[in-house]
Amino acid sequence: MRKLAPALTALVALTVTACAPRTRPETPPPVAPASAATAQKFVVTANPLASEAGMAVLRRGGSAVDAAIAVQAMLSLVEPQSSGVGGGAFLTYYNAATRKVEIYDGREIAPAGATPTMFMGADGKPLPFGEAVVGGRATGVPGAVRMLAQAHDDHGALAWKTLFEDAERTARKGFTVSPRLGRFLNGSFPQLAVEDTRRYFTEKDGTLVDPGDVLRNKDYAEFLRRLAKRGPDALYTGETAKRIVARTNTGALPGTLTLADLAGYRAVKRDPLCGNWHVYVVCVPPPPSSGVGLLELLALLGRTDIEKRGPADPQAWYLFAEASRLMYADRDRYVGDPAFVRVPVAGLLAPSYIADRVKLIAPLAGPAPVAGVPAGAVVAGADTTVEPVGTSHFIVGDARGNVVSMTTTVESIFGTGRMVDGFFLNNQMTDFAFSPVDADGRPAANAVAAGKRPRSSMTPLVMIDRQGRFAGALGSAGGNSILAYVAKSMVASVEWGLPMQNALALPNLVARGDSFQGEMTKFTPGMLSALAAKGVALKPGQGEDSGLHGVIVRDGRIDGGYDPRREGKVIVE
């Protein structure tokens, strides 16, 4: 893959050369971006009501950030198992006027009273995850609202107070419980036993709501009314903040969150991490996001012949699995909050390091690979982080050509299961490693610390072409599996030339450590047998599946897709 032209290097804050030059096939890449697509408005979310709320803002002349605020407000209501105003997010923004990519980090922060051993029991062992996830200390300082407010200050076109009307009205009048929400309400998640969750989703006769029932949330409507009037201070100060503190400081495993923690939260505007891939520059959030892992995986695959293969070729999936395992070994070991740990980003993406790592892909899968030692690495302990599912991704493009690619989360299903003012509180603190050191006493990069942001697998990306024009955006939900979900879709849509909808619908395969998970019913028996013969014996994956949403520019037009595993909707005008 060719290096960036000198004229383009100024368009991105950081350029990596991990995707090193190699022999290319004679046929050109299947996708060619064109600036004509910037005239199109588009919204892709996991719920039709959220897509429609975003497009309504765009039709009023709103910006991509304006629409993103309306989308998040609606998702917090209709998809509460995945994200909400009580959670955090990463936002990758394409600025059409400057042709630059900007990153807004709204990741939650550990309270000032957090300690490295807060998830360790009296016996010196990590607490059971099911117990910790519903505890008061699982909630970090939420960041999504402050982040969106900062992005709105920079890129908003409409008044903040006008962006919550659809969500507030829907909360008052009620919305129809979707089949997917109903499925989670009948699951076995520990949050379903929490009093707040049971009360919210229980009918007057004592039964849980079913798909097709109408659910109203007047508390959330009132909160949105205050949020529209007061701005983000409606969450971070005042009565709502007091209720958040009270709700997290009582009950099982009480936390240490204070009013000062909430009032002091600040989102961080970061430089993007960008790397060459085919004719594109792929830009992702830097640590504490795991965007570096996605770039490493693309670079590893770029040293194979996967692009000459296709979705029906077992060798393509084998290469994907083995490259994934190498990437996850590195990501798990080294990525954390850069304000607290040294993350060897340049070393992980160096061409020489990629070349050495890819040599470890043997004809047959062996034991779990260990982390490499890239340049700049420091001694880090083996990772023990448990990162379950419970996230949403969406994409918005406005008529001016600006684009938002945003991944947002309350972490696990329904967060902690605790509610304040009609929204769920996150359990993002359980995205830290429970044990601060490994068995050999080495410190974990993702250990808990006061004021620290937990490592995240959220990787909302934006692609631009060599002239800095928007070329595509993609992201997913899925906890640790996000990186595999997104990379699969990148390979399928770009290297294999599939329409975006078809690319997202391809079976998911997540290979991490000794675990090979996949959508067993979507692979053919012949494919499963061929992979097993290579040592990749797939087992059913985690319950939430992916939440992929993507757009790519083809012949000057937006080709968008939503994950068929969810209930999404693509609107392009």
Side-chain angles (χ1 to χ4, degrees):
M1 300 178 191
R2 292 164 289 185
K3 295 182 179 180
L4 288 172
L8 185 55
T9 56
L11 296 176
V12 291
L14 176 62
T15 299
V16 297
T17 56
C19 300
R22 64 184 179 87
T23 303
R24 309 296 303 167
E26 295 181 359
T27 56
V31 181
S35 59
T38 58
Q40 292 180 274
K41 302 187 294 290
F42 54 89
V43 184
V44 190
T45 82
N47 186 281
L49 291 176
S51 293
E52 290 158 8
M55 184 53 72
V57 169
L58 295 179
R59 289 172 185 146
R60 290 195 284 123
S63 69
V65 168
D66 294 335
I69 294 168
V71 167
Q72 178 64 93
M74 187 66 81
L75 285 175
S76 189
L77 175 68
V78 300
E79 200 193 27
Q81 71 272 21
S82 297
S83 76
V85 295
F90 286 94
L91 189 157
T92 302
Y93 181 77
Y94 173 73
N95 188 324
T98 63
R99 294 191 175 185
K100 290 184 178 180
V101 175
E102 306 168 22
I103 302 296
Y104 292 86
D105 176 348
R107 186 66 162 158
E108 296 89 339
I109 291 177
T115 65
T117 57
M118 61 186 288
F119 290 118
M120 300 292 285
D123 58 359
K125 297 179 180 180
L127 294 171
F129 188 84
E131 178 183 339
V133 75
V134 294
R137 66 188 63 173
T139 297
V141 186
V145 171
R146 276 280 185 224
M147 182 202 73
L148 286 168
Q150 181 175 343
H152 182 262
D153 287 343
D154 293 344
H155 303 294
L158 301 179
W160 171 273
K161 65 182 179 180
T162 69
L163 304 176
F164 303 91
E165 296 168 355
D166 279 354
E168 181 185 347
R169 180 172 57 253
T170 304
R172 291 189 190 280
K173 292 185 176 181
F175 67 96
T176 301
V177 175
S178 72
R180 188 166 186 275
L181 175 55
R183 174 162 64 90
F184 285 110
L185 289 175
N186 286 282
S188 58
F189 310 103
Q191 293 89 336
L192 296 176
V194 177
E195 179 185 358
D196 298 2
T197 305
R198 301 295 300 183
R199 183 171 56 247
Y200 177 47
F201 291 114
T202 298
E203 301 276 28
K204 292 181 179 179
D205 63 2
T207 62
L208 283 176
V209 295
D210 289 319
D213 290 344
V214 174
L215 184 62
R216 296 174 178 85
N217 191 334
K218 294 182 179 179
D219 288 345
Y220 184 59
E222 282 300 307
F223 170 73
L224 289 181
R225 182 184 60 80
R226 297 194 303 274
L227 182 62
K229 182 179 180 179
R230 292 189 56 207
D233 283 347
L235 188 149
Y236 293 94
T237 65
E239 292 304 312
T240 294
K242 291 178 182 178
R243 284 189 280 271
I244 292 173
V245 170
R247 194 67 190 90
T248 59
N249 286 193
T250 57
L253 297 175
T256 61
L257 189 68
T258 66
L259 289 173
D261 290 323
L262 287 164
Y265 182 88
R266 296 293 181 269
V268 178
K269 192 170 182 180
R270 301 187 188 274
D271 292 333
L273 180 63
C274 301
N276 300 312
W277 190 60
H278 294 285
V279 298
Y280 303 113
V281 180
V282 179
C283 294
V284 294
S289 161
S290 295
V292 61
L294 177 65
L295 294 186
E296 181 183 359
L297 179 51
L298 292 177
L300 289 166
L301 292 171
R303 297 275 184 164
T304 73
D305 65 351
I306 193 171
E307 73 168 307
K308 298 179 180 178
R309 299 180 181 276
D313 188 337
Q315 180 65 9
W317 291 102
Y318 174 76
L319 293 171
F320 183 82
E322 290 299 273
S324 294
R325 293 210 293 167
L326 291 168
M327 176 275 293
Y328 276 118
D330 289 342
R331 192 289 301 256
D332 293 353
R333 179 62 61 94
Y334 295 117
V335 175
D337 185 341
F340 289 78
V341 296
R342 182 176 171 183
V343 184
V345 172
L348 288 169
L349 300 173
S352 58
Y353 181 74
I354 296 297
D356 287 341
R357 292 293 276 169
V358 81
K359 291 176 184 176
L360 299 177
I361 299 179
L364 298 176
V370 298
V373 185
V378 296
V379 175
D383 185 61
T384 59
T385 302
V386 177
E387 186 183 356
V389 295
T391 302
S392 198
H393 180 80
F394 63 86
I395 304 168
V396 181
D398 64 32
R400 303 168 187 84
N402 306 304
V403 178
V404 164
S405 180
M406 177 170 156
T407 312
T408 174
T409 187
V410 288
E411 214 275 359
S412 191
I413 304 299
F414 302 117
T416 62
R418 303 181 185 208
M419 296 186 80
V420 167
D421 293 350
F423 59 85
F424 284 99
L425 300 179
N426 72 80
N427 63 290
Q428 214 62 251
M429 294 295 291
T430 56
D431 258 3
F432 283 115
F434 281 19
S435 178
V437 297
D438 67 7
D440 296 322
R442 297 172 298 184
N446 192 39
V448 182
K452 189 176 181 180
R453 296 169 189 243
R455 184 187 73 205
S456 174
S457 293
M458 295 189 291
T459 312
L461 69 84
V462 164
M463 294 194 303
I464 56 179
D465 69 8
R466 292 179 182 274
Q467 288 71 49
R469 298 172 300 187
F470 174 73
L474 209 147
S476 184
N480 279 314
S481 301
I482 287 174
L483 300 169
Y485 295 155
V486 172
K488 173 211 74 173
S489 304
M490 295 280 283
V491 169
S493 61
V494 174
E495 295 196 312
W496 298 341
L498 296 183
M500 183 59 73
Q501 188 63 45
N502 295 357
L504 305 185
L506 279 182
N508 288 323
L509 189 158
V510 182
R512 181 169 174 249
D514 286 317
S515 172
F516 297 100
Q517 295 186 345
E519 294 179 291
M520 303 287 290
T521 61
K522 294 187 177 182
F523 285 107
T524 66
M527 178 67 74
L528 294 174
S529 296
L531 288 174
K534 286 181 166 291
V536 178
L538 292 184
K539 295 181 179 180
Q542 54 190 351
E544 196 190 28
D545 302 315
S546 53
L548 286 155
H549 296 106
V551 299
I552 196 165
V553 182
R554 300 183 194 270
D555 299 323
R557 306 294 295 173
I558 290 294
D559 172 19
Y562 67 91
D563 199 317
R565 302 162 187 85
R566 295 204 172 193
E567 298 163 334
K569 185 175 183 179
V570 179
I571 305 177
V572 181
E573 295 185 354

